[in-house]
Each structure stands twice: as C-alpha cells, then as structure tokens.
Amino acid sequence: MKTFLDDNFLLNSKTAETLYHQFSKSLPIIDYHNHLIPEQIVNDTQFENISQVWLNGDHYKWRAMRANGVDEKYITGDASDKDKFLKWAETVPYTLRNPLYHWTHLELQRYFGIKDLLSPRTAEKIYEETAAKLATPGYSVRGLLKMMNVEVVCTTDDPIDSLNFHQQFAQEQESFKMLPAFRPDKAMNSDDVTALNAYIDQVEAVTNTSIGSFSAYLDALKARHDFFAENGCSVSDHGLEQIYAEDYTDQEIGAIFEKIRANQTLTYSENLKFKSAMLVQFAEWDHEKGWVQQYHLGALRNNNARMLRVNGPDTGWDSIGDFSQARALSKFLNRLDNEDRLTKTILYNLNPADNELIATMIGNFNDGSIKGKIQFGSAWWFLDQKDGMTKQLNALSNMGLLSRLVGMLTDSRSFLSFPRHEYFRRLVCDIFGEDVEKGELPNDIEWIGKIVGDISYHNAKEYFNF
C-alpha cells in the first residue's frame, strides 16, 4: 500500500517516477492565465493567516462547505478568519475523492511542510503554524511565487484597467514577470443593455472620447488594446458560453449600437449579431499584434438568482453548460483563417462531452505555420482534476499532438494554487509511464522525457511572446 501524498503521489510505475523526478519536477512555471490581484503582487502583500490567502475568493471550497451544511456566515459572511478556517477544517474530511482533498494537503505540504491531515483535531495547530510562517518575509506574496519557481504570471484585466500596478512592477528587477491579459467580456455583453451602456460610459472616460457610434466605440477599444500591448500584454482571454458567429453587416451593427446607446432592448438576433461582430474585431486586433487569444467555453453562470442577489457573481453558483459548440466555432475560426487573420488560439472546454469535438476542431486550423498554433487548452475549472485532466489529455492524444500542448495554468485567485502545475505534471508522467511499461510506447526515456519537459514548460516558453 502506497503512502498518501508521498514523493511518488499519482505516479504508478517506475517509469512514471523517472519521468517526473528527472524531466519535469524542477522546471519553472509559466502561469499564462490566472485571476491573481496585481496590487497584491506589487505591494508584496503579507497575509495575516491562511484563511486570507486560502479561503477568500475560493468558490471551489465554498461550494464544498455549503454541501457540507456550513452556514454562509462562515463562507462569505462576517465570521472571523479563524472561524471560517475551522469550518473548512470540519469540511475537509468529507471531501474524500473530491480534488479539494488532494489540493488541500498538497498545498499544506508544499508551502508549509505540514504533513498532518486537516481535520477538527488538527485545525488549531495548523492555523497557528501557518500564521507564524505567513508572518515571515519568505511567505509574502512574492515569496510564495518564488517558492513555486514561477517565471511568468498573466493576470486577467479589463480593457479599462489603468494597468498602473503592472507599470510599477515592470520597473522592478524581479525574478518573475507579471503581465496583463486583455479580457473584454464586459465590452461585448449585450445581454444587459443597461450595464453595457454604463460600461461604454466608462470607456469614454478612460479614453477621453465621446462614443456615439459603433465606429467610435471600436476606436476607443482599439486604443485600449494598443495601450495593453504597450504595457507588455500579448494574450487575450474571453469567458463565453459559446462562440458567436452570426452573419451581419456593418450597417446592422451600427443600428444595433444606436439601440444600445438609447438603452433599448435588443432582439435575440441583434444580441447575437453584436457579440459576433465584437468577437471578430477583437480577434483581428489580436492577429495584428501576434497575440495569443484564449476562449474559455461552456460555463453556465449565476444559476442561483437568490444567492446572486446576496453575494454577487463568481461566488460559487456556476456549473457546466451543454451549449452547442461545433458549428459556430468552426464558422468563426474559418472566417478568420480565410482572411489570414487567425492568430495563435487556445480553446478551453468545460463540458467533457465536447472533448473530442474540440480535439478534432483544432486540427482543422493547424496550418503548419506554427507548432501547435491552435491548442486544445488544459482541463478547465470543474475539470482540472485527475479524471478531467486525464480525459482531456487522452482526447488530445488520440486526435491531435499531446506533445505540442502548452501545459497547465492555475486559473485561480489564490497564491497557494500553484501545486496544480505539479498535479498536472504528475498525471502527464503517469500516462506516459504506464504506456511505456505496457509496451505501448518504446522505452526511450530520453525522448519521452523531452516530450514531458516540453508539455510541462518548454512548449509554453516557445509559444507565448513573453
């Protein structure tokens, strides 16, 4: 019987152990998509306790606590940090077979050297021990990133963001880079015309322009796109239910924009046309600058209206959606490719039923100009766990080139989430190791080790313009 979370955790063969420890473990981390707060990195924030760095904003843990009958007071409410931690400690023993059980103990080990299992019995001791370490200089925000050998972090930033913290950080001589990513979801969200109008007003203020037409809106957003590029940005990102690829004319979009500025409700067709036009514009700007564009597809958000009113968005009320992805995605990518305006693209899929769909779609637009130009991104959100990662890796292996995958990302709001890269790397090594030991791959450790290292780090290093 193996020991829980030992040095060979998730590695189920000697070959897997060799691949991980010799070719993957020590490589730096390029985290090209996360939701870390730039201000905390610039200020090198020192958290007072583990609740602040571990529980705040972590809706994975919040959902588990709610399922375990924990009152909202101890999740997003006004309970003390310590009381919230104690409620999480009560929940952890009930998370067996949920990835949270692995992540919780992996993070306690990697950051704090704590091998005790978190439970009500150990909670007080762990809370005090982690608080004492978090008070030391090596456990500041930057210290935590260096501890995990992080080379690049790309935050997620709205087009109207001032990027002042990125500008400050760029002036420093630090061991890692913090770069912005252009996330224009609010700029195209015509589902809520009132909110979109308010957002357009903010774009006016930031760009010091008057926006009374669609062309003026595009000019203002293009100025922000240019501004991001001037400040080191080379990636964009979109969080969408699905790709929008309706046919439209410039005249139609101009008229739709006038309705938006008049705060008039759009028809279903007008809504789709507007979103489609915006996606094309963003994609063309990305191609113009040689950026990497990312599309996170398939989340059904804000399902619980009552709790949305209480807590707001991004607090744990989202799930996997069953949207139709193939035809619109094909049409969108084909339009860009046909006009030679398709840049490097990463597609993240949230519905495992669509894994093979995405794995085959990328092959339609990998044209030989760039290695792995169109990527099936690593398992995302609800799927970034052992089963979900394995299914994504197998689908890509069967229908594309796993060897060209640009690896893992945290997609997290927590500075303690970086062992997810380790988790991913261990699974990759286990998959290759198993195939070698079954005789399904040759016992060429140097070559397979190179492939494992590429997936872990080197592919991302080459793919992104960092």
Side-chain angles (χ1 to χ4, degrees):
M1 181 183 297
K2 293 183 68 173
T3 302
F4 175 65
L5 218 64
D6 64 4
D7 286 344
N8 294 318
F9 175 59
L10 297 178
L11 306 174
N12 295 301
S13 68
K14 290 297 181 182
T15 304
E17 293 172 12
T18 299
L19 290 172
Y20 177 70
H21 292 294
Q22 292 189 17
F23 297 96
S24 180
K25 178 180 179 179
S26 62
L27 291 171
I29 287 174
I30 295 176
D31 200 59
Y32 49 88
H33 175 71
N34 60 64
H35 297 273
L36 298 178
I37 300 174
E39 182 178 4
Q40 292 180 334
I41 297 175
V42 168
N43 293 338
D44 200 16
T45 297
Q46 200 91 34
F47 295 103
E48 295 176 6
N49 55 64
I50 193 171
S51 291
Q52 292 179 3
V53 66
W54 216 24
L55 297 179
N56 290 355
D58 191 339
H59 46 79
Y60 289 81
K61 294 184 179 73
W62 295 350
R63 286 168 69 98
M65 293 168 77
R66 290 168 185 144
N68 200 45
V70 175
D71 188 271
E72 195 70 21
K73 172 183 178 180
Y74 299 98
I75 301 172
T76 60
D78 58 1
S80 69
D81 289 342
K82 185 172 183 179
D83 286 343
K84 288 180 178 179
F85 177 80
L86 294 177
K87 287 295 183 181
W88 170 237
E90 289 178 13
T91 300
V92 168
Y94 294 94
T95 65
L96 292 174
R97 303 206 78 245
N98 185 294
L100 285 166
Y101 196 81
H102 284 167
W103 295 342
T104 293
H105 294 104
L106 195 62
E107 290 163 16
L108 286 174
Q109 277 199 25
R110 294 298 176 264
Y111 289 100
F112 302 101
I114 294 173
K115 294 189 176 182
D116 293 335
L117 299 180
L118 181 57
S119 70
R121 182 179 61 82
T122 60
E124 289 275 357
K125 175 175 176 275
I126 289 175
Y127 188 81
E128 297 304 326
E129 185 175 342
T130 54
K133 289 184 175 180
L134 286 167
T136 63
Y139 281 81
S140 67
V141 159
R142 297 192 193 189
L144 293 171
L145 292 172
K146 293 173 185 177
M147 204 181 295
M148 291 296 107
N149 198 17
V150 173
E151 183 175 297
V152 179
V153 289
C154 282
T155 58
T156 301
D157 309 280
D158 191 276
I160 62 175
D161 194 291
S162 69
L163 301 185
N164 59 313
F165 296 113
H166 295 85
Q167 292 168 343
Q168 291 179 48
F169 191 81
Q171 301 304 312
E172 301 185 33
Q173 298 298 316
E174 190 50 276
S175 63
F176 62 90
K177 293 182 179 181
M178 177 182 73
L179 301 171
F182 189 80
R183 176 78 172 246
D185 293 356
K186 291 181 181 178
M188 58 175 282
N189 185 19
S190 48
D191 293 333
D192 186 339
V193 170
T194 300
L196 178 56
N197 246 319
Y199 182 83
I200 295 170
D201 292 341
Q202 290 179 289
V203 175
E204 281 186 323
V206 168
T207 58
N208 194 28
T209 57
S210 175
I211 300 177
S213 67
F214 184 62
S215 62
Y217 188 42
L218 292 184
D219 289 343
L221 289 173
K222 179 64 161 57
R224 298 307 297 169
H225 198 273
D226 294 342
F227 173 74
F228 269 60
E230 292 163 5
N231 283 278
C233 181
S234 60
V235 295
S236 68
D237 181 56
H238 303 261
L240 305 170
E241 293 180 346
Q242 59 197 117
I243 290 291
Y244 303 100
E246 297 296 306
D247 294 325
Y248 60 86
T249 65
D250 293 343
Q251 291 76 15
E252 284 179 311
I253 303 303
I256 291 169
F257 189 79
E258 288 179 4
K259 287 186 68 173
I260 291 171
R261 289 309 264 161
N263 212 28
Q264 298 176 10
T265 302
L266 303 183
T267 67
Y268 178 74
S269 176
E270 289 171 335
N271 189 16
L272 295 183
K273 287 176 184 288
F274 181 78
K275 290 179 178 180
S276 300
M278 295 301 295
L279 278 182
V280 168
Q281 290 296 326
F282 293 135
E284 290 181 350
W285 298 340
D286 290 347
H287 176 266
E288 175 188 291
K289 293 183 175 72
W291 284 11
V292 174
Q293 60 189 8
Q294 303 173 86
Y295 298 95
H296 286 80
L297 305 175
L300 185 62
R301 300 177 188 271
N302 303 322
N303 294 271
N304 190 320
R306 176 175 61 86
M307 295 309 296
L308 177 64
R309 289 193 299 271
V310 173
N311 290 337
D314 301 320
T315 53
W317 313 101
D318 310 315
S319 60
I320 294 171
D322 58 350
F323 307 100
S324 177
Q325 301 288 1
R327 190 170 297 278
L329 180 56
S330 173
K331 185 176 179 181
F332 175 70
L333 295 174
N334 187 56
R335 171 176 178 158
L336 296 171
D337 182 81
N338 199 44
E339 298 174 356
D340 194 22
R341 292 180 177 178
L342 180 58
T343 193
K344 290 181 282 189
T345 303
I346 306 176
L347 304 173
Y348 304 92
N349 168 53
L350 195 56
N351 187 346
D354 291 333
N355 278 347
E356 284 74 14
L357 184 160
I358 300 295
T360 55
M361 184 65 69
I362 64 172
N364 297 328
F365 301 98
N366 268 318
D367 56 10
S369 61
I370 299 169
K371 299 171 185 175
K373 177 181 177 180
I374 313 299
Q375 292 270 330
F376 179 10
S378 296
W380 169 49
W381 199 343
F382 293 107
L383 303 183
D384 63 354
Q385 28 76 9
K386 181 181 175 182
D387 185 59
M389 289 183 190
T390 301
K391 286 178 178 176
Q392 187 271 340
L393 292 168
N394 284 335
L396 180 56
S397 297
N398 288 329
M399 298 170 187
L401 292 183
L402 174 59
S403 55
R404 292 301 181 190
L405 178 64
V406 291
M408 188 55 179
L409 58 158
T410 62
D411 192 25
S412 173
R413 292 166 172 78
S414 171
F415 289 95
L416 297 186
S417 66
F418 285 84
R420 291 185 193 177
H421 284 264
E422 174 187 338
Y423 200 87
F424 168 84
R425 292 175 180 186
R426 286 177 178 271
L427 286 173
V428 169
C429 292
D430 190 59
I431 288 171
F432 276 101
E434 181 182 11
D435 284 355
V436 169
E437 300 221 352
K438 285 181 176 179
E440 295 178 10
L441 287 177
N443 188 20
D444 186 344
I445 296 300
E446 289 300 318
W447 178 251
I448 295 177
K450 176 192 179 302
I451 296 298
V452 163
D454 287 346
I455 296 169
S456 300
Y457 168 74
H458 296 292
N459 286 345
K461 181 79 169 177
E462 181 179 353
Y463 189 77
F464 293 95
N465 302 320
F466 298 150

